[in-house]
Amino acid sequence: MATCKPLQNPVSSKPDHSPEALLPFFDPHMYRSIAGSLQYLTLTRPDLSYDVNLVCQHMHAPLNQHFKVLKSILRYVQGTLHLVLPITTDKHELIAFVDADWAGDKQDRNSTTGYCIFLGATLISWSTKKQATIARSSTESEYRALTTAVTEIV
């Protein structure tokens, strides 16, 4: 993939539902190895967190469509090698951004929490994670996300 054509977005919004895409991937070990490497990369590339989380949900039984998504993430990384996290020593103001989608997962209706915490201009913590229980309203999913971020800050 070192000479692949780069992409501007890591994942296509239209999943592939062709019969071939729904077959099991021929080498699950390779799928898990690449997905694990991308998981490690999210430590310095928070823009990949959500998409890597999606592919990691299928590590136990990946399909061809999941490997196609994995390859598109690698193509996105190829096109964005210049992106880095700035580490500055200017001001030491703590700022957090939190968001949640309400019932965003169409299969189990769980919401997804996302937050990022900055110290000045330096990103010091971030997370994207599915909430453990189903929220009854968008307000409830937002409060759960806020609680998770505040817990991280404390």
Side-chain angles (χ1 to χ4, degrees), residues 46-65:
D47 57 322
L48 300 173
S49 294
Y50 180 79
D51 300 313
V52 172
N53 178 286
L54 287 179
V55 297
C56 287
Q57 292 179 28
H58 305 285
M59 284 180 138
H60 62 285
L63 303 177
N64 286 334
Q65 69 180 358

Side-chain angles (χ1 to χ4, degrees), residues 96-100 113-115 131 139-153:
F97 298 95
V98 183
D99 197 13
T113 293
Y115 66 81
Q131 294 178 359
T139 304
E140 184 180 346
S141 70
E142 294 284 347
Y143 275 128
R144 287 183 183 166
L146 188 58
T147 301
T148 303
V150 169
T151 302
E152 176 69 14
I153 291 170

Side-chain angles (χ1 to χ4, degrees), residues 25-141:
F25 183 61
F26 75 95
D27 190 358
H29 178 72
M30 181 175 71
Y31 180 91
R32 287 189 280 274
S33 176
I34 295 171
S37 297
L38 285 173
Q39 242 180 344
Y40 181 73
L41 186 60
T42 62
L43 294 173
T44 58
R45 294 287 304 272
D47 57 322
L48 300 173
S49 294
Y50 180 79
D51 300 313
V52 172
N53 178 286
L54 287 179
V55 297
C56 287
Q57 292 179 28
H58 305 285
M59 284 180 138
H60 62 285
L63 303 177
N64 286 334
Q65 69 180 358
H66 302 138
F67 185 68
K68 186 176 178 182
V69 172
L70 198 62
K71 284 189 354 183
S72 69
I73 294 171
L74 290 173
R75 290 177 59 194
Y76 171 75
V77 169
Q78 176 66 22
T80 58
L81 290 173
H82 62 282
L83 295 179
V84 295
L85 289 176
I87 298 176
T88 61
T89 58
D90 54 354
K91 53 187 173 182
H92 293 351
E93 182 181 22
L94 191 62
I95 302 170
F97 298 95
V98 183
D99 197 13
D101 69 343
W102 179 42
D105 190 326
K106 301 302 180 204
Q107 292 179 339
D108 62 10
R109 307 304 292 167
N110 283 16
S111 304
T112 302
T113 293
Y115 66 81
C116 55
I117 302 168
F118 291 85
L119 184 59
T122 304
L123 183 62
I124 58 171
S125 180
W126 63 90
S127 176
T128 302
K129 187 176 180 181
K130 280 171 68 171
Q131 294 178 359
T133 57
I134 298 172
R136 294 183 183 164
S137 67
S138 59
T139 304
E140 184 180 346
S141 70

